[in-house]
Short mmCIF file of all heavy atoms in Angstrom, two decimals:
data_model
loop_
_atom_site.label_atom_id
_atom_site.label_comp_id
_atom_site.label_asym_id
_atom_site.label_seq_id
_atom_site.Cartn_x
_atom_site.Cartn_y
_atom_site.Cartn_z
N MET A 119 -20.95 49.87 0.03
CA MET A 119 -20.74 48.82 -0.98
C MET A 119 -21.64 49.06 -2.19
O MET A 119 -22.83 49.33 -2.04
CB MET A 119 -21.02 47.43 -0.37
CG MET A 119 -20.87 46.30 -1.36
SD MET A 119 -21.18 44.71 -0.63
CE MET A 119 -19.79 44.62 0.51
N ASN A 120 -21.04 48.99 -3.40
CA ASN A 120 -21.80 49.20 -4.64
C ASN A 120 -22.41 47.87 -5.08
O ASN A 120 -21.70 46.95 -5.49
CB ASN A 120 -20.87 49.75 -5.72
CG ASN A 120 -21.63 50.18 -6.95
OD1 ASN A 120 -22.47 49.44 -7.45
ND2 ASN A 120 -21.35 51.38 -7.41
N SER A 121 -23.70 47.75 -4.96
CA SER A 121 -24.37 46.48 -5.27
C SER A 121 -24.26 46.13 -6.76
O SER A 121 -24.22 44.96 -7.13
CB SER A 121 -25.84 46.56 -4.85
OG SER A 121 -26.47 47.63 -5.51
N ARG A 122 -24.17 47.14 -7.64
CA ARG A 122 -24.09 46.90 -9.09
C ARG A 122 -22.76 46.26 -9.46
O ARG A 122 -22.71 45.28 -10.22
CB ARG A 122 -24.28 48.23 -9.81
CG ARG A 122 -24.35 48.08 -11.32
CD ARG A 122 -24.66 49.40 -11.97
NE ARG A 122 -24.74 49.27 -13.43
CZ ARG A 122 -24.99 50.25 -14.24
NH1 ARG A 122 -25.21 51.48 -13.75
NH2 ARG A 122 -25.06 50.08 -15.55
N ARG A 123 -21.64 46.82 -8.91
CA ARG A 123 -20.32 46.24 -9.20
C ARG A 123 -20.21 44.83 -8.61
O ARG A 123 -19.63 43.93 -9.22
CB ARG A 123 -19.22 47.14 -8.62
CG ARG A 123 -19.02 48.44 -9.38
CD ARG A 123 -17.67 49.04 -9.07
NE ARG A 123 -17.51 49.30 -7.65
CZ ARG A 123 -17.85 50.43 -7.07
NH1 ARG A 123 -18.37 51.43 -7.76
NH2 ARG A 123 -17.66 50.60 -5.77
N LEU A 124 -20.82 44.69 -7.38
CA LEU A 124 -20.76 43.37 -6.74
C LEU A 124 -21.49 42.32 -7.59
O LEU A 124 -21.00 41.21 -7.80
CB LEU A 124 -21.40 43.44 -5.35
CG LEU A 124 -21.46 42.14 -4.59
CD1 LEU A 124 -20.06 41.60 -4.35
CD2 LEU A 124 -22.20 42.33 -3.27
N PHE A 125 -22.61 42.69 -8.16
CA PHE A 125 -23.36 41.76 -9.01
C PHE A 125 -22.58 41.41 -10.27
O PHE A 125 -22.57 40.26 -10.73
CB PHE A 125 -24.71 42.39 -9.38
CG PHE A 125 -25.53 41.52 -10.29
CD1 PHE A 125 -26.23 40.43 -9.79
CD2 PHE A 125 -25.58 41.80 -11.66
CE1 PHE A 125 -26.98 39.63 -10.64
CE2 PHE A 125 -26.33 41.00 -12.51
CZ PHE A 125 -27.03 39.91 -12.00
N ALA A 126 -21.87 42.40 -10.85
CA ALA A 126 -21.08 42.17 -12.07
C ALA A 126 -19.92 41.19 -11.78
O ALA A 126 -19.64 40.30 -12.59
CB ALA A 126 -20.54 43.49 -12.59
N LEU A 127 -19.29 41.40 -10.65
CA LEU A 127 -18.19 40.50 -10.30
C LEU A 127 -18.69 39.07 -10.06
O LEU A 127 -18.06 38.09 -10.48
CB LEU A 127 -17.46 41.00 -9.04
CG LEU A 127 -16.60 42.25 -9.24
CD1 LEU A 127 -16.11 42.79 -7.91
CD2 LEU A 127 -15.42 41.94 -10.15
N MET A 128 -19.83 38.94 -9.41
CA MET A 128 -20.39 37.61 -9.17
C MET A 128 -20.76 36.93 -10.49
O MET A 128 -20.54 35.72 -10.67
CB MET A 128 -21.63 37.73 -8.27
CG MET A 128 -21.31 38.16 -6.86
SD MET A 128 -22.77 38.50 -5.88
CE MET A 128 -23.56 36.92 -5.88
N LYS A 129 -21.28 37.70 -11.44
CA LYS A 129 -21.66 37.15 -12.74
C LYS A 129 -20.42 36.68 -13.50
O LYS A 129 -20.41 35.60 -14.11
CB LYS A 129 -22.43 38.21 -13.54
CG LYS A 129 -22.90 37.71 -14.90
CD LYS A 129 -23.67 38.80 -15.61
CE LYS A 129 -24.14 38.29 -16.98
NZ LYS A 129 -24.89 39.35 -17.71
N LYS A 130 -19.36 37.53 -13.46
CA LYS A 130 -18.13 37.17 -14.17
C LYS A 130 -17.52 35.89 -13.58
O LYS A 130 -17.12 34.98 -14.32
CB LYS A 130 -17.12 38.31 -14.04
CG LYS A 130 -15.78 38.02 -14.72
CD LYS A 130 -14.78 39.09 -14.43
CE LYS A 130 -14.25 38.97 -13.02
NZ LYS A 130 -13.43 37.79 -12.81
N GLU A 131 -17.53 35.82 -12.25
CA GLU A 131 -16.94 34.64 -11.62
C GLU A 131 -17.75 33.39 -11.94
O GLU A 131 -17.19 32.31 -12.18
CB GLU A 131 -16.88 34.83 -10.09
CG GLU A 131 -16.06 33.81 -9.36
CD GLU A 131 -14.59 33.93 -9.67
OE1 GLU A 131 -14.14 35.01 -10.07
OE2 GLU A 131 -13.89 32.90 -9.54
N SER A 132 -19.04 33.52 -11.98
CA SER A 132 -19.90 32.38 -12.31
C SER A 132 -19.64 31.91 -13.74
O SER A 132 -19.57 30.70 -14.01
CB SER A 132 -21.38 32.76 -12.14
OG SER A 132 -21.63 33.15 -10.82
N LEU A 133 -19.49 32.87 -14.67
CA LEU A 133 -19.21 32.51 -16.07
C LEU A 133 -17.86 31.82 -16.21
O LEU A 133 -17.71 30.87 -16.98
CB LEU A 133 -19.26 33.76 -16.94
CG LEU A 133 -20.66 34.39 -17.14
CD1 LEU A 133 -20.55 35.70 -17.92
CD2 LEU A 133 -21.58 33.41 -17.87
#
Side-chain angles (χ1 to χ4, degrees):
M119 178 179 294
N120 189 312
S121 58
R122 186 175 180 180
R123 288 199 301 270
L124 178 61
F125 178 78
L127 288 171
M128 292 173 62
K129 182 179 180 181
K130 179 187 75 68
E131 191 68 24
S132 300
L133 290 174

